[in-house]
Amino acid sequence: MEKEILIHQETILSKVKELAGQISSDYAGKEPVLIGILNGVVFFFADLVREMTIPCKIDFIRASSYGSGMTSSGAITLTKDIEIPIRDKPVIIIEDIVDTGLTLKHIFKRLEDRGPESIRICALINKLERRNEEIIVDYCGFQIKEGFLIGYGLDHDEQYRYLPGIYVLR
Ligand code: IMP
């Protein structure tokens, strides 16, 4: 398979800065809990949090839906839960890429059951073609129509996560 650059590192970092600015001003005076969905979110999460200008708490959750292929299996299981309480707290879910929306929908419900003050979604990439769940991405980095992306945390079969830019795999 071949990879073709889609979003350069500099473009990603300036978008991350923009998202961090929006979140910081929307949550001014608050201390949101940022919950990252592992593993793909790691670099985005770390860059985003460090560009924010307000205090926040961080935690992580992990769900498995993708096997080793490029399509979702549909079945979602939580393999790591958050550890800090979120009741009455403003929560922002941080996701690398939203595809069908199944993972986010599942995680959103699990978190909603714990009575947070609010939940918003921040995703670096919103991939629209295969969306079959209604998901509102409150903070969106890039919208793309289709394609399987790798790099900046995104993998194919656990490969390519380390690449600083985002590529499309063909
Ligand atoms: P969804 O449940 O179909 O929305 O899938 C979300 C998860 O699938 C993401 O958190 C990624 O881990 C993975 N995923 C979806 N599309 C891609 C892609 O283009 N490249 C790499 N991983 C992807």
Side-chain angles (χ1 to χ4, degrees):
M1 270 190 273
E2 297 206 351
K3 61 179 175 30
E4 189 182 302
I5 187 76
L6 184 70
I7 314 171
H8 287 278
Q9 183 179 18
E10 309 77 63
T11 313
I12 298 172
L13 295 180
S14 79
K15 182 59 80 175
V16 171
K17 205 167 180 171
E18 195 183 310
L19 291 173
Q22 279 172 26
I23 292 173
S24 301
S25 85
D26 290 356
Y27 286 82
K30 296 196 174 206
E31 189 183 35
V33 181
L34 269 59
I35 299 177
I37 305 182
L38 295 172
N39 284 344
V41 84
V42 283
F43 305 124
F44 175 44
F45 194 96
D47 288 341
L48 183 78
V49 168
R50 289 177 301 166
E51 288 292 347
M52 281 172 48
T53 53
I54 54 163
C56 64
K57 289 191 172 140
I58 66 169
D59 205 343
F60 296 92
I61 197 164
R62 186 164 191 199
S64 70
S65 66
Y66 271 62
S68 57
M70 289 198 199
T71 53
S72 175
S73 66
I76 307 219
T77 45
L78 273 197
T79 54
K80 186 220 170 293
D81 204 348
I82 53 166
E83 286 158 48
I84 58 178
I86 57 166
R87 179 163 299 278
D88 300 326
K89 300 277 193 303
V91 165
I92 311 174
I93 302 174
I94 315 291
E95 171 70 303
D96 47 3
I97 184 164
V98 190
D99 185 11
T100 61
L102 272 168
T103 309
L104 251 182
K105 194 168 181 214
H106 185 87
I107 287 174
F108 195 100
K109 272 201 198 136
R110 295 286 292 256
L111 297 177
E112 203 176 31
D113 289 346
R114 296 174 200 177
E117 177 194 288
S118 59
I119 308 184
R120 282 189 184 160
I121 294 171
C122 170
L124 181 65
I125 295 160
N126 196 10
K127 194 158 84 172
L128 297 167
E129 196 185 42
R130 304 188 321 128
R131 182 67 39 82
N132 51 26
E133 301 291 339
E134 201 185 312
I135 300 275
I136 295 165
V137 179
D138 303 282
Y139 303 99
C140 171
F142 303 97
Q143 290 224 356
I144 68 149
K145 204 169 149 252
E146 60 188 349
F148 195 85
L149 310 188
I150 51 157
Y152 196 61
L154 298 170
D155 76 307
H156 176 244
D157 229 352
E158 293 305 328
Q159 294 182 80
Y160 310 114
R161 289 195 197 273
Y162 58 89
L163 294 169
I166 294 177
Y167 296 77
V168 63
L169 205 57
R170 300 190 200 284

